[in-house]
Amino acid sequence: MLVKLFIYLAAVLPAVLAAPRYKCYNPEPTTGVPTQTVTQTTIQTTIQTTAEITTQTATPYPSPEPQTPVYLNWTTVSGYFLQDETTTDPNGFDYISTNFGLIDRAYDSDAEFDPNGEKSQWQRFAHHIGELNKNSDASTEYKVLLMARHGEGWHNAAESYYGTPAWNCYWGQLSGNGTAVWEDPHLTPAGELEAIKANDFWRKQIDEHKQPAPESFYTSPLSRCTVTANLTFANLGFDNFYPIVKEFLREGVSIRTCDHRPSKTYITNMFPFYKFEEGFAELDPLYDGVKYETSEAQDLRNFNGLTDVFTKDKNTWISFTAHSGEITSLLRVLGHRAFRLATGQAIPVLVKVVSNLPKSTTTTIAPWTTPTVCPAPPVTSIANQGCVCTATATPTTTI
Ligand SMILES: *[C@@H]1O[C@H](CO)[C@@H](O)[C@H](O)[C@H]1NC(C)=O
Ligand SMILES: *[C@@H]1O[C@H](CO)[C@@H](O)[C@H](O)[C@H]1NC(C)=O
Ligand SMILES: *[C@@H]1O[C@H](CO)[C@@H](O)[C@H](O)[C@H]1NC(C)=O
């Protein structure tokens, strides 16, 4: 054992010491990133249409030309779900074993709706939300977003297998390793089981807890989400399960091939009943294998995406199937506390949306950036420190 260790060190140490200590691919821009100024008029009024997205070859959202001016403001409403409470630890929290996190409580609308105490918590909550909507003015709406992360994909397995730094600075840019494919990855067997668990959960929620079924379904175009949405909802007898594929729900775009979405034709062949938002491009207009989207740029696209959904969709119960980083950004934009989801997990968020507001202020966002990567497998990969490359390079386009 010791001998082996020495042989290993003798082989690796010179390279480790000689190599530049470069922390490759830092997904969060640090200082010195040039900024670009966008006025709130652009942010708050842009409606994503196909035309806008297709003309953006590797240029980030937002699109320059606002279509329909809408000024929305929203806020998450706490007091209903455990996920909003500061006392709830997101680590290890399971929406399945907690009735989706719905807090066991009374509502002022119970007296008239359920005088004999016969209705379920979800029935009373649904009634309560209906009352809030009925009694609010024309510019106020309450909506419940049900946001799910996809089941484990091959890229998740590979990131664990290689370690995050090595995954970010080298392996993630390849399309696979000969045994696993992680360019637009599909679900691993464990990921499929997570989606099947979500399916069992929904059946039970509807039959036993009388939770209202989602009225609209939206999914990220990446296969791990289109597949998860199908496995979760397709066989529940819903007559409205025609998910709309939305560009804005995709994962933060990085230089890794797992963020390269498939073509519209590919999605249609796999799920002929899925619908697409107006103008959804045939080929991925955003991924180029060279630049990554900053968190700020992702927040901005989510601001626009949520504005789009809230403006066009009058339904209350809305399902999103998306990604870890994407839901993190959505929660930030919604004003919800951070709540990181493990694969296959989901979170409900009650949102109060107010429209017809005056436009105002200016904000500044960091534009997309080009990271530095290793041109060959890194010498070392250490969690929270990065990896050591034998040389560094800027990524080249893989499409
Ligand atoms: C938007 O909502 C937040 C949270 O309720 C509030 O603090 C803010 O004043 C609102 N902005 C406008 C323009 O109404
Ligand atoms: C490829 O990556 C997968 C993880 O996604 C891993 O299980 C497998 O062992 C790797 N194959 C090789 C040849 O390294
Ligand atoms: C979609 O889900 C149904 C029901 O679970 C399943 O039979 C079918 O194989 C799934 N389709 C794909 C392409 O995954």
Side-chain angles (χ1 to χ4, degrees):
M1 184 62 205
L2 214 55
V3 175
K4 263 197 178 153
L5 184 68
F6 276 122
I7 294 172
Y8 173 77
L9 281 180
V12 162
L13 217 54
V16 172
L17 295 175
R21 297 231 152 240
Y22 184 74
K23 187 173 181 247
C24 64
Y25 182 54
N26 180 355
E28 293 295 329
T30 48
T31 49
V33 177
T35 51
Q36 120 198 5
T37 299
V38 180
T39 62
Q40 201 192 17
T41 319
T42 320
I43 300 171
Q44 297 222 342
T45 61
T46 305
I47 297 291
Q48 299 298 345
T49 69
T50 310
E52 290 170 346
I53 298 171
T54 41
T55 53
Q56 290 180 8
T57 33
T59 357
Y61 292 75
S63 358
E65 297 300 325
Q67 301 281 301
T68 319
V70 213
Y71 311 108
L72 297 185
N73 192 16
W74 52 69
T75 173
T76 54
V77 188
S78 57
Y80 297 96
F81 294 109
L82 290 169
Q83 290 91 334
D84 292 286
E85 307 294 305
T86 49
T87 45
T88 303
D89 182 2
N91 276 321
F93 185 86
D94 183 15
Y95 78 113
I96 289 181
S97 60
T98 55
N99 194 20
F100 228 137
L102 185 64
I103 293 172
D104 216 344
R105 53 161 282 188
Y107 311 110
D108 54 13
S109 51
D110 287 350
E112 160 256 333
F113 177 63
D114 186 27
N116 303 324
E118 291 157 346
K119 302 282 205 280
S120 75
Q121 187 71 51
W122 272 103
Q123 282 173 307
R124 288 186 290 108
F125 176 66
H127 175 77
H128 179 64
I129 298 301
E131 288 299 296
L132 286 177
N133 275 327
K134 214 165 78 187
N135 299 326
S136 56
D137 59 59
S139 58
T140 304
E141 250 187 306
Y142 290 84
K143 291 179 178 292
V144 182
L145 298 180
L146 307 153
M147 304 197 280
R149 183 183 177 193
H150 59 79
E152 184 195 67
W154 284 106
H155 65 309
N156 301 123
E159 180 173 347
S160 305
Y161 179 76
Y162 292 106
T164 299
W167 168 250
N168 283 340
C169 68
Y170 179 72
W171 295 99
Q173 297 160 74
L174 310 185
S175 56
N177 64 1
T179 45
V181 174
W182 53 69
E183 176 154 20
D184 183 38
H186 282 231
L187 302 185
T188 63
E192 281 174 12
L193 283 180
E194 286 170 334
I196 290 165
K197 240 174 110 178
N199 177 249
D200 291 341
F201 168 75
W202 268 104
R203 186 174 285 110
K204 226 176 80 203
Q205 287 306 103
I206 287 163
D207 291 352
E208 293 172 21
H209 293 280
K210 313 290 177 204
Q211 176 174 349
E215 295 169 293
S216 331
F217 299 86
Y218 298 96
T219 176
S220 150
L222 288 146
S223 294
R224 51 196 182 277
C225 289
T226 55
V227 169
T228 297
N230 176 60
L231 288 177
T232 305
F233 298 114
N235 63 1
L236 293 175
F238 295 162
D239 56 13
N240 63 339
F241 183 63
Y242 297 101
I244 300 176
V245 180
K246 285 280 215 192
E247 195 84 76
F248 93 92
L249 283 176
R250 63 192 289 164
E251 184 55 298
V253 184
S254 75
I255 61 166
R256 299 183 292 272
T257 59
C258 58
D259 296 324
H260 188 188
R261 79 151 165 87
S263 68
K264 186 178 179 183
T265 302
Y266 179 93
I267 301 170
T268 305
N269 287 342
M270 195 145 72
F271 300 109
F273 60 99
Y274 279 22
K275 295 184 193 172
F276 294 86
E277 67 184 336
E278 204 190 308
F280 186 83
E282 169 63 15
L283 296 178
D284 190 339
L286 297 174
Y287 170 89
D288 69 0
V290 175
K291 284 195 297 298
Y292 74 85
E293 185 182 29
T294 60
S295 299
E296 285 177 320
Q298 187 177 6
D299 287 359
L300 186 51
R301 95 157 120 100
N302 281 323
F303 194 104
N304 289 331
L306 286 170
T307 299
D308 179 26
V309 169
F310 291 155
T311 310
K312 292 179 185 156
D313 189 335
K314 292 298 148 203
N315 286 328
T316 303
W317 308 91
I318 297 177
S319 160
F320 286 168
T321 304
H323 310 258
S324 161
E326 171 61 3
I327 294 172
T328 294
S329 169
L330 282 165
L331 290 177
R332 206 161 40 222
V333 170
L334 286 164
H336 193 283
R337 77 186 186 111
F339 202 96
R340 197 139 184 108
L341 301 179
T343 49
Q345 284 287 318
I347 183 171
V349 179
L350 174 59
V351 193
K352 180 184 178 184
V353 184
V354 181
S355 54
N356 302 323
L357 292 169
K359 52 185 165 175
S360 58
T361 62
T362 294
T363 194
T364 299
I365 63 153
W368 292 34
T369 326
T370 303
T372 308
V373 296
C374 304
V379 187
T380 61
S381 161
I382 301 167
N384 304 319
Q385 284 184 35
C387 52
V388 174
C389 312
T390 48
T392 57
T394 44
T396 46
T397 180
T398 54
I399 49 170

